[in-house]
Amino acid sequence: MGAIVDDEIVGYQQISHSASTAFTIAGTNVYRARVIVEDGDIRWRPDGATTAPTASVGFLERQGNVFDITQPDLAAWRSIPTGGTVKLSVLFFSKVP
């Protein structure tokens, strides 16, 4: 039988933005981020480092949504508000054997 793997929170970041932005990965050995859309709606792209999202192009996430992003998409992930300023809370996770 293999080892049981649990997640450990290794970092947190809160982002308030009104233009296309990324997050700075907080913690070590991060393999997943959980994004909580605090207020407003966003669009995001996992390939945002090469093709940035716009207010009308990208995956839509509504205020109150919670979603995960995993490696290898973490480094290139970008989001943009659909209007105004949006606050995101981001938890970073690593695996613990």
Side-chain angles (χ1 to χ4, degrees), residues 57-68:
V57 176
F59 297 99
L60 178 63
E61 297 289 345
R62 302 267 183 207
Q63 178 178 344
N65 284 8
V66 177
F67 62 98
D68 289 356

Side-chain angles (χ1 to χ4, degrees), residues 8-20:
E8 175 181 36
I9 297 172
V10 294
Y12 171 81
Q13 183 179 16
Q14 189 169 72
I15 304 168
S16 290
H17 68 296
S18 57
S20 181

Side-chain angles (χ1 to χ4, degrees), residues 20-25 33 43-53 59 67 69-80 92:
S20 181
T21 193
F23 44 65
T24 303
I25 297 174
R43 290 203 179 262
W44 64 274
R45 290 184 60 125
D47 60 346
T50 55
T51 306
F59 297 99
F67 62 98
I69 301 161
T70 56
Q71 288 288 12
D73 297 329
L74 287 172
W77 185 88
R78 300 284 186 280
S79 73
I80 190 169
F92 297 95

